[in-house]
Amino acid sequence: MSKHFGRQSVRFENPVYIITTASTVGPKEGEGPLAEFFDIILPDSLCGEDSWEKAESKIVKDTFGKALSKSKLSQENIDYIISGDLLNQNSGSTFAIRDMDIPFFGIFGACSTMGEGMSLGALLIDGGFANNILVGASSHFCASEKQFRFPLELGTQRTPTSTWTVTGQGSAILSNNTNEKCPRITAITTGKIIDMGITDANNMGAAMAPAAFDTLNAHFSDLSLNPDYYDLIITGDLGYVGHDLVLKMFSEKNMDLSKNYSDCGILIFDKDKQDTNSGGSGCACSAVTFAGYLYKKLKDEQLNKLLFVPTGALMSPTSAQQGETIPGIAHAIAIENI
Amino acid sequence: MQDNKAKYQKMVEKSSPNTNLILNCLNAFWTGGLICVIGQFITNSFLNLGCDIDIARTITSVILIFIGILLTGLGVYDEIGKIAGAGSVVPITGFANSVAAPALEFKKEGFIFGVGAKMFIIAGPVIVYSTLTSVIVGIFYYLSK
């Protein structure tokens, strides 16, 4: 029987366990509401390195190391690393794993990278092509500002719709085998590129919300599910603006998601105390929220059916300067305690 | 599709909070004004010391540029900018900040391709177009004489 459902979804037949996760965050995230759930909170954003980019790679390396030590697996047991970030040419990931003797797939999905990585990892494991896969995604506020916006010390104002790039890395180890009860990836819905003509790079929530809406709709129809099947549906980094837009788009279809829908960008910061405007963003936003907070809730069975939907805005500084609109993407991962 | 996009654009406008224009204007006014008052104080001080007005003004610019760069290096200017907005961008201290901030940021890429090449990524357009404007104004001035 085919495992592919509808246009975009896959339901896994073989178990894909998330056997462990690890997370590292920067000092600002460490002062946020989810601080207690992270493995490592950095005392400073440079992490002992001399540039933001090197710091990001160090964070990636250390978090992968943490995930391996928590899982008690050695490097030889990992068949693939699937990892990505926001830096040019994915250097955050590739430079981090130079010393690791593990086959590597580097991916770019902007801030949806964790979702893309978990999807590909789950497909590989269900297909029997791997036993254990290390998945991760990272971002660094200072490195992102430098690459996508302005130098840090420039005295500019942020608009109320702008989001704050999360510094950190979230890792997860996917496996076909476990000794203890672990949450399983049961289905995925792979997003399409959706571009509704938003050009404001300071309103990425609005650019990505249609992609999240499209993927969620595809997920529900491909797999014949209602939104209330899930204990929690959580998007990656739409922030307050994007979250509100998704709710409105569903309400136009007479569907109410307000009871069980949230966004990692809303949870990770306290917007009033931390001056983060519309919320958190970046690859690490969904990655650390999942690896820290959501995984703990799944393990403790406070959540049993989670739909994790990392979202990405696929623009580059060049495309923005050329006046291009911002294409969005969202990948849905169904994670359940079975 | 175009209809959908237009409809979505309207939805986005409704959902996106606007900046507080009045508060931002007020903050820009008093902070920008304060920087100007400081500048005037420096100019007057040099005039009282017996300096020529042109010299006093030049020294004022130099001192304000120094203060702007120092506060950028200390990581204070961007904090001022958060509240002041245009109030700290428009005066000469803001111009100093716009040169010093990229110079600091791109130091890691070396003195040639980092500091040297990237120093004017923000101030560069201002210099180019203000020079161009001054040339155009100069031509009109010449013709009107």
Side-chain angles (χ1 to χ4, degrees):
Chain A
M1 194 183 131
S2 170
K3 300 175 193 176
H4 201 99
F5 290 80
R7 180 89 179 87
Q8 290 169 255
S9 302
V10 167
R11 206 186 269 285
F12 298 111
E13 282 173 6
N14 303 314
V16 181
Y17 300 104
I18 304 172
I19 58 167
T20 194
T21 58
S23 54
T24 302
V25 294
K28 190 178 177 89
E29 294 72 21
E31 289 165 4
L34 303 182
E36 60 178 298
F37 299 99
F38 302 125
D39 292 306
I40 305 167
I41 296 172
L42 300 171
D44 74 275
S45 300
L46 268 177
C47 200
E49 298 292 323
D50 63 9
S51 75
W52 311 125
E53 293 78 7
K54 286 180 191 169
E56 181 164 346
S57 286
K58 173 110 186 347
I59 293 168
V60 174
K61 188 179 178 184
D62 291 352
T63 319
F64 276 154
K66 184 79 185 171
L68 284 174
S69 70
K70 278 172 87 175
S71 71
K72 300 190 178 65
L73 290 171
S74 65
Q75 289 194 24
E76 295 78 54
N77 301 124
I78 303 293
D79 300 306
Y80 295 105
I81 288 178
I82 303 175
S83 173
D85 54 83
L86 290 179
L87 296 182
N88 287 333
Q89 287 77 39
N90 256 357
S91 57
S93 301
T94 49
F95 285 42
I97 57 164
R98 281 183 288 196
D99 302 329
M100 291 174 116
D101 195 24
I102 303 172
F104 168 64
F105 287 119
I107 55 170
F108 181 78
C111 312
S112 72
T113 300
M114 193 61 181
E116 186 176 350
M118 287 169 78
S119 298
L120 294 170
L123 289 167
L124 284 170
I125 286 176
D126 181 65
F129 302 106
N131 298 317
N132 301 301
I133 294 180
L134 184 51
V135 179
S138 67
S139 54
H140 193 297
F141 172 76
C142 306
S144 296
E145 288 290 299
K146 181 176 170 181
Q147 185 172 311
F148 289 97
R149 264 184 100 244
F150 294 120
L152 279 188
E153 299 303 331
L154 191 72
T156 54
Q157 283 177 323
R158 306 175 78 86
T159 62
T161 55
S162 68
T163 47
W164 189 280
T165 306
V166 171
T167 299
Q169 205 256 13
S171 304
I173 296 182
L174 312 184
S175 177
N176 58 6
N177 186 25
T178 177
N179 297 325
E180 52 178 309
K181 202 166 161 28
C182 285
R184 277 170 61 174
I185 298 180
T186 52
I188 58 165
T189 299
T190 304
K192 296 181 291 190
I193 306 276
I194 304 289
D195 190 335
M196 288 301 276
I198 301 296
T199 50
D200 183 3
N202 287 314
N203 196 352
M204 305 239 262
M208 297 185 286
F213 175 70
D214 187 79
T215 299
L216 285 170
N217 265 318
H219 183 81
F220 299 140
S221 74
D222 287 351
L223 301 173
S224 310
L225 292 172
N226 287 318
D228 55 16
Y229 174 80
Y230 291 102
D231 300 329
L232 178 67
I233 298 167
I234 188 158
T235 44
D237 57 349
L238 299 184
Y240 290 89
V241 175
H243 177 264
D244 183 49
L245 285 164
V246 168
L247 283 179
K248 279 184 185 155
M249 283 185 275
F250 272 107
S251 80
E252 280 189 356
K253 285 189 73 178
N254 294 321
M255 288 165 84
D256 180 22
L257 259 71
S258 58
K259 289 189 289 295
N260 60 343
Y261 168 53
S262 187
D263 183 77
C264 299
I266 293 175
L267 298 183
I268 195 159
F269 291 122
D270 182 328
K271 79 163 175 161
D272 297 321
K273 284 192 197 140
Q274 297 190 285
D275 191 27
T276 47
N277 296 328
S278 186
S281 63
C283 297
C285 183
S286 56
V288 301
T289 305
F290 175 74
Y293 173 72
L294 296 169
Y295 188 72
K296 174 90 168 48
K297 295 277 167 195
L298 284 161
K299 279 290 252 187
D300 294 349
E301 298 185 357
Q302 286 168 306
L303 285 175
N304 289 310
K305 293 185 171 78
L306 171 73
L307 189 61
F308 177 51
V309 193
T311 41
L314 301 164
M315 30 79 89
S316 77
T318 309
S319 73
Q321 281 167 2
Q322 293 181 357
E324 277 275 13
T325 53
I326 303 171
I329 193 160
H331 300 296
I333 327 289
I335 302 160
E336 297 177 65
N337 283 322
I338 301 177
Chain B
M1 196 61 192
Q2 282 308 321
D3 283 358
N4 276 346
K5 281 188 181 176
K7 195 177 142 205
Y8 182 64
Q9 192 70 45
K10 277 207 186 107
M11 205 173 181
V12 169
E13 277 161 28
K14 239 185 238 171
S15 288
S16 305
N18 288 319
T19 45
N20 191 334
L21 198 64
I22 294 168
L23 184 71
N24 282 355
C25 284
L26 277 175
N27 281 335
F29 181 77
W30 78 259
T31 49
L34 183 67
I35 294 172
C36 294
V37 168
I38 294 169
Q40 193 62 51
F41 175 76
I42 298 169
T43 309
N44 287 359
S45 305
F46 279 95
L47 285 175
N48 287 341
L49 288 172
C51 276
D52 185 60
I53 181 90
D54 285 341
I55 301 282
R57 281 176 181 159
T58 307
I59 295 173
T60 304
S61 296
V62 170
I63 291 174
L64 285 177
I65 288 170
F66 173 77
I67 293 171
I69 293 174
L70 183 69
L71 292 178
T72 303
L74 293 174
V76 176
Y77 207 88
D78 60 319
E79 298 295 330
I80 298 171
K82 264 185 211 166
I83 299 159
S88 64
V89 171
V90 176
I92 201 163
T93 47
F95 194 74
N97 169 252
S98 77
V99 177
L104 279 173
E105 189 73 282
F106 293 97
K107 206 176 118 208
K108 293 287 171 264
E109 285 73 34
F111 281 102
I112 307 296
F113 293 109
V115 176
K118 298 283 175 68
M119 198 175 202
F120 293 103
I121 46 167
I122 295 155
V126 182
I127 297 170
V128 170
Y129 293 109
S130 55
T131 309
L132 192 68
T133 311
S134 67
V135 170
I136 294 168
V137 171
I139 292 168
F140 276 107
Y141 179 70
Y142 175 77
L143 292 176
S144 70
K145 274 223 291 189

